[in-house]
Amino acid sequence: MAQILTTTDDGFEAAFGALLGAKREEAEDVDTAVAAIITEVRARGDAALHDLTQRFDRLDLAETGMAFTPAQIEAEIAKVTPEDRAALELAAARIRAYHERQRPTDAVWQEENGARLGWRWTPVSAAGLYVPGGLASYPSSVLMNAIPAEVAGVERLVICCPTPGGVVNPLVLLAAQLAGVTEIYRLGGAQAIAALAYGTASIAPVDKITGPGNAYVAAAKRRVFGRVGIDMIAGPSEIVVIADADNDPDWIALDLLSQAEHDESAQSVLLTPDAGFGRAVIAAVERRLETLERRAIAGKSWHDHGAVIVTRDLEEAALLSNRMAPEHLELCVADPQILSERITHAGAIFLGAWTPEAIGDYVGGPNHVLPTARSARFSSGLSVLDFMKRTTLAQMTPEALRAIGPAAERLAISEGLEAHGLSVRARLDRLNDL
Amino acid sequence: MAQILTTTDDGFEAAFGALLGAKREEAEDVDTAVAAIITEVRARGDAALHDLTQRFDRLDLAETGMAFTPAQIEAEIAKVTPEDRAALELAAARIRAYHERQRPTDAVWQEENGARLGWRWTPVSAAGLYVPGGLASYPSSVLMNAIPAEVAGVERLVICCPTPGGVVNPLVLLAAQLAGVTEIYRLGGAQAIAALAYGTASIAPVDKITGPGNAYVAAAKRRVFGRVGIDMIAGPSEIVVIADADNDPDWIALDLLSQAEHDESAQSVLLTPDAGFGRAVIAAVERRLETLERRAIAGKSWHDHGAVIVTRDLEEAALLSNRMAPEHLELCVADPQILSERITHAGAIFLGAWTPEAIGDYVGGPNHVLPTARSARFSSGLSVLDFMKRTTLAQMTPEALRAIGPAAERLAISEGLEAHGLSVRARLDRLNDL
């Protein structure tokens, strides 16, 4: 049974604190192994990639080739059913339309003294996207990572995807094609991340690496951070649902279970002002758990980490949600817009009972790569901005330098940086000579 | 002597590659010590802070207090000269005006099927700014870190600044006041970062930590990353100057030296199509090095890491600069705007000979916290966005769900996530019943 907490109970703060602070995942310590793999790829390049892929994926890259050929890609994509293709195309179109609105704008303005200031956004030149193999190989994640990069204007987009025993998910290749990615390598694990960060004879290095992965991939991304940019290191998925009694308990139960089925470490929490509704949802979850395909995973997640919290009112529910700063937040209430204005920390908000979180995983438009583990307090989901960077611009005129140069000189002197001051003074002296 | 390279020479690519790849800084390995300090602060809270400050800063916090009182702050600020105050006020006003233009805009739009999509930006609730003590205690950095947070709307801004032997830089306190920061602790090193990330009885934890620091501070920031957000871990400073022959060699020499004087590991590079001008700049640097206060540092930086590269033309200079992706880039050429359009990777561009980089360090307006070590390939300088995060919004209507729900259901099934599909199906079935 998932626990039921009630905010008016004496022990609530302690119980809620425990829920907030619970460590749901033990990070596997693979750092030493990962360091060795990176060193090997840097030293031996392609030869190391061949050896490591043989060892971990039981695949002879000399036979299959390291990169998928266009013919290999087409042959795999041909296996996709028309229905799956249509669904993926709809998703790609909607994700692209949403992200195109995120393109940032440049700005340049002139001050009265003639100085021009501003900034300019430019895309990262090359980005690498890691796509897990096997069961967790999600075509939707390919779209969610590759399309923002494509919209940003990234010139070179690369995918690394392990193909254990040679098996690849055709939908992953179709998703890559829909996002315009043609450079795809049969590489996985820390060796793929090392190849993307440092390059080998046959793979040019990239500037930014994104995408989900197992403990080895996460540790490798941490290690190459700085050499290249990385996205967040995602933790297990979470959902908070705020629901009033005017909901179908079964809908809410399914929404909670759609996080729980991801991972035993996932967390699903219902906040409701109606204790009776909370109990009805718990009963509905248990009913669904009798037949759900992934009931072992979803059941363990729900029973270990799930919770129903009965609040005084919706306002208190919003306050508790803000303390959780959830990755996903559903507002299944009569006026979700009003309630959403009380939300200060959340990765993504789904407004109203007609917006199950699963819509956002696939076809809503917003990105499904979102901050986990309360990091929505300080970070955002993946976006076009993650594949761009801003260069600031400043151009002084003699008049502008005369106006603000002396202040710069004085501050330089106060900080003990003489050459800084002299670089301004030499110019001011010239102006005085003119 | 700094080295002179010429792009038409046979060995140029190898020499340029060596310059690009040179490791200028050996990171001190303090991670074990830092881990122990963080553990101690988490376990013993304020008592640990007292002990560690006694040990590292020879300061008895029981006597001075951990936080500066308003009276203590006023007493220190009273020592600032009117000239220094005016300079700092000018800097604060210009930095604020620039950063106010960075406030991002929210967006919500409606689709034909009635679905509403968009996003909303919200500020981080609490941010902590680390300010080094002693020599590298720069009031300008206080402004550059605190003002973007203030503009972002961060409610609680905290500064930690060590005061070894009780000594504090009055200009640092004035800069804090100008940026609206009143919560200032006499804490430094890894213990300050631990206190900001985890909190103690007397210091509430923050959500984001920014600011420069020594190896201990950098290692602590890496360790608490994830628990809180952090800014970049900055490396030694760099400048690239692209200059034609129509410049005063002494101005360019001073600009190169104003990076070199920061740190023996700093790097200053001149790219010029005119070999004679390049030699004249080298001579001017050597002349200035005879008298510069920080000539030991600046000389070592210039002689170990500096370079003059003679290029075929300005276009080639821009290409080489893009490969370096410098933190600072000066364009001292006849038409700097045209040349700036060829720049794809740089933290900040200073256009024209009347814009010495030092202007940007203090009073230009753009931020001086910028990506180092070629990370301008994938990251940007500090900005208002670093203190905000974006929440995505999605609200379906029954009609919208009918239009796109089946695609979501199909993709969920193809990914083996049954509950995801059922959460959509339950709603679609209701619509069919209606």
Side-chain angles (χ1 to χ4, degrees):
Chain A
M1 276 286 289
Q3 56 179 327
I4 305 192
L5 307 175
T6 302
T7 58
T8 49
D9 281 358
D10 274 352
F12 175 74
E13 258 311 307
F16 186 69
L19 191 72
L20 271 189
K23 201 171 159 70
R24 309 205 305 273
E25 195 182 42
E26 275 311 319
E28 212 184 323
D29 189 8
V30 297
D31 199 50
T32 312
V34 163
I37 291 170
I38 294 175
T39 303
E40 195 178 341
V41 172
R42 290 186 68 179
R44 299 178 48 237
D46 287 335
L49 295 179
H50 277 85
D51 291 353
L52 291 161
T53 303
Q54 183 71 61
R55 194 194 316 162
F56 292 117
D57 295 338
R58 308 165 308 285
L59 189 71
D60 183 359
L61 289 178
E63 240 173 61
T64 60
M66 193 178 293
F68 279 90
T69 63
Q72 287 170 339
I73 294 173
E74 285 302 335
E76 290 294 335
I77 288 179
K79 300 174 188 166
V80 176
T81 67
E83 292 76 14
D84 279 351
R85 171 185 277 273
L88 208 59
E89 284 175 347
L90 177 73
R94 291 187 57 87
I95 295 164
R96 185 173 290 114
Y98 182 93
H99 286 80
E100 274 173 355
R101 295 185 181 243
Q102 290 182 328
R103 271 202 209 98
T105 48
D106 297 345
V108 174
W109 61 94
Q110 192 153 20
E111 301 189 310
E112 279 180 28
N113 56 31
R116 294 172 73 247
L117 296 173
W119 62 76
R120 206 180 55 192
W121 290 89
T122 45
V124 163
S125 292
L129 162 54
Y130 188 84
V131 180
L135 269 184
S137 166
Y138 294 145
S140 57
S141 291
V142 175
L143 298 181
M144 292 291 182
N145 280 271
I147 289 176
E150 182 198 15
V151 170
V154 174
E155 264 183 40
R156 177 172 163 251
L157 254 169
V158 187
I159 284 178
C160 283
C161 180
T163 56
V167 177
V168 65
N169 179 345
L171 276 167
V172 161
L173 294 180
L174 176 57
Q177 189 180 68
L178 293 177
V181 185
T182 56
E183 188 179 340
I184 306 172
Y185 299 100
R186 298 176 194 268
L187 293 173
Q191 59 273 25
I193 302 299
L196 288 171
Y198 291 99
T200 68
S202 50
I203 303 178
V206 303
D207 302 301
K208 178 109 188 184
I209 300 176
T210 71
N214 64 15
Y216 287 81
V217 171
K221 281 169 69 180
R222 273 187 201 280
R223 281 206 161 252
V224 301
F225 173 57
R227 169 87 190 183
V228 298
I230 63 167
D231 59 343
M232 65 203 82
I233 307 276
S237 196
E238 313 138 5
I239 191 169
V240 168
V241 179
I242 301 181
D244 57 28
D246 199 16
N247 276 283
D248 185 330
D250 187 51
W251 292 13
I252 304 302
L254 286 168
D255 297 353
L256 296 168
L257 287 170
S258 71
Q259 289 310 303
E261 75 175 343
H262 269 297
D263 189 338
E264 292 179 359
S265 311
Q267 181 166 58
S268 305
V269 174
L270 169 65
L271 304 177
T272 179
D274 190 299
F277 178 75
R279 284 189 298 273
V281 170
I282 289 177
V285 167
E286 296 300 335
R287 259 194 318 274
R288 286 290 186 175
L289 277 174
E290 288 168 17
T291 57
L292 204 64
E293 283 165 16
R294 296 169 68 92
R295 58 185 171 272
I297 293 168
K300 185 153 173 54
S301 157
W302 175 245
H303 297 131
D304 288 358
H305 308 297
V308 171
I309 301 179
V310 180
T311 61
R312 287 180 183 81
D313 48 30
L314 292 177
E315 217 167 291
E316 189 182 49
L319 287 174
L320 293 177
S321 175
N322 288 339
R323 288 174 65 187
M324 305 188 80
E327 182 189 12
H328 306 98
L329 172 62
E330 282 188 13
L331 303 179
C332 299
V333 298
D335 194 337
Q337 290 194 38
I338 290 287
L339 190 59
S340 78
E341 284 160 25
R342 298 191 174 270
I343 302 303
T344 53
H345 311 307
I349 305 180
F350 304 87
L351 295 95
W354 292 106
T355 320
E357 185 276 330
I359 284 292
D361 282 337
Y362 297 111
V363 295
N367 211 288
H368 78 196
V369 181
L370 292 165
T372 57
R374 299 186 66 221
S375 63
R377 291 176 297 126
F378 54 81
S379 64
S380 311
L382 198 68
S383 82
V384 170
L385 294 188
D386 289 295
F387 296 96
M388 304 190 79
K389 61 265 183 336
R390 193 187 43 242
T391 298
T392 61
L393 306 170
Q395 178 165 22
M396 295 296 118
T397 55
E399 194 193 337
L401 196 70
R402 207 192 300 258
I404 69 174
E409 183 189 22
R410 177 161 282 276
L411 291 171
I413 291 168
S414 81
E415 293 186 354
L417 297 173
E418 187 194 14
H420 284 67
L422 288 173
S423 73
V424 176
R425 173 48 49 197
R427 285 149 166 112
L428 290 174
D429 286 346
R430 179 75 49 87
L431 282 176
N432 292 334
D433 292 347
L434 291 181
Chain B
M1 278 285 289
Q3 55 180 328
I4 306 192
L5 306 175
T6 302
T7 58
T8 50
D9 281 358
D10 275 352
F12 175 74
E13 259 309 309
F16 185 69
L19 191 72
L20 271 188
K23 201 171 158 70
R24 308 204 306 274
E25 195 181 42
E26 274 311 318
E28 211 184 325
D29 188 10
V30 297
D31 199 50
T32 312
V34 163
I37 290 171
I38 294 175
T39 303
E40 195 179 341
V41 172
R42 290 186 67 178
R44 298 177 49 237
D46 286 335
L49 296 178
H50 277 84
D51 292 352
L52 291 161
T53 303
Q54 184 72 62
R55 193 193 317 163
F56 293 117
D57 296 337
R58 308 164 309 284
L59 188 72
D60 184 359
L61 289 177
E63 239 172 62
T64 59
M66 194 177 293
F68 279 89
T69 64
Q72 287 169 339
I73 292 172
E74 285 302 335
E76 290 294 334
I77 287 179
K79 300 174 188 167
V80 176
T81 67
E83 293 76 15
D84 279 351
R85 172 185 275 273
L88 208 59
E89 284 174 348
L90 177 74
R94 291 186 58 88
I95 295 163
R96 186 173 289 114
Y98 183 95
H99 287 79
E100 275 173 354
R101 294 187 183 242
Q102 290 182 329
R103 272 202 209 97
T105 49
D106 298 346
V108 174
W109 60 94
Q110 192 153 22
E111 301 188 310
E112 278 179 30
N113 56 31
R116 292 173 73 248
L117 296 173
W119 62 76
R120 205 181 55 192
W121 290 90
T122 46
V124 163
S125 292
L129 162 54
Y130 188 84
V131 180
L135 269 184
S137 166
Y138 295 145
S140 57
S141 290
V142 175
L143 298 181
M144 292 291 181
N145 280 273
I147 289 175
E150 183 198 14
V151 171
V154 174
E155 264 183 41
R156 178 173 163 251
L157 254 169
V158 186
I159 284 179
C160 284
C161 179
T163 56
V167 178
V168 64
N169 180 346
L171 277 167
V172 161
L173 294 180
L174 176 57
Q177 190 180 68
L178 293 177
V181 185
T182 55
E183 187 179 340
I184 307 172
Y185 298 101
R186 299 175 195 270
L187 293 172
Q191 59 273 25
I193 303 299
L196 289 171
Y198 291 98
T200 69
S202 50
I203 303 179
V206 302
D207 302 301
K208 176 110 187 184
I209 300 176
T210 70
N214 64 15
Y216 287 81
V217 171
K221 282 168 69 180
R222 275 187 200 280
R223 280 205 163 254
V224 301
F225 173 58
R227 171 86 189 184
V228 298
I230 63 168
D231 60 344
M232 64 203 81
I233 307 276
S237 197
E238 314 138 4
I239 191 170
V240 168
V241 179
I242 300 180
D244 57 28
D246 198 18
N247 276 282
D248 185 330
D250 188 51
W251 291 15
I252 304 303
L254 286 168
D255 296 354
L256 295 169
L257 287 169
S258 70
Q259 290 310 303
E261 76 174 343
H262 269 298
D263 189 337
E264 292 179 359
S265 311
Q267 181 167 59
S268 305
V269 173
L270 169 65
L271 304 176
T272 179
D274 191 299
F277 179 75
R279 284 190 299 272
V281 170
I282 289 178
V285 168
E286 296 300 334
R287 258 194 319 274
R288 287 288 187 176
L289 278 174
E290 287 168 18
T291 57
L292 204 65
E293 284 165 17
R294 295 169 69 93
R295 58 184 171 273
I297 293 168
K300 186 154 172 53
S301 157
W302 175 245
H303 297 131
D304 288 359
H305 308 298
V308 171
I309 301 179
V310 181
T311 61
R312 287 180 183 80
D313 48 29
L314 292 176
E315 217 168 290
E316 188 182 49
L319 287 173
L320 292 178
S321 175
N322 287 340
R323 288 174 65 187
M324 304 188 79
E327 182 189 13
H328 306 99
L329 173 62
E330 281 188 13
L331 303 179
C332 298
V333 298
D335 194 337
Q337 290 195 38
I338 291 287
L339 190 60
S340 79
E341 284 161 22
R342 298 190 174 270
I343 302 302
T344 52
H345 310 307
I349 305 181
F350 303 88
L351 295 95
W354 293 105
T355 320
E357 184 277 328
I359 284 292
D361 281 337
Y362 296 112
V363 295
N367 211 287
H368 79 195
V369 181
L370 293 164
T372 57
R374 300 187 64 220
S375 62
R377 290 177 297 126
F378 54 80
S379 65
S380 312
L382 198 69
S383 82
V384 169
L385 294 188
D386 290 295
F387 297 97
M388 304 191 79
K389 61 267 183 334
R390 194 186 44 243
T391 299
T392 61
L393 306 170
Q395 178 164 23
M396 296 296 116
T397 56
E399 193 193 338
L401 195 71
R402 206 192 302 257
I404 68 174
E409 183 189 22
R410 177 160 283 276
L411 291 171
I413 292 168
S414 81
E415 293 186 355
L417 296 173
E418 186 193 16
H420 284 66
L422 289 173
S423 73
V424 177
R425 173 49 48 195
R427 284 148 167 113
L428 290 174
D429 284 346
R430 179 76 48 88
L431 283 175
N432 293 333
D433 292 347
L434 291 181

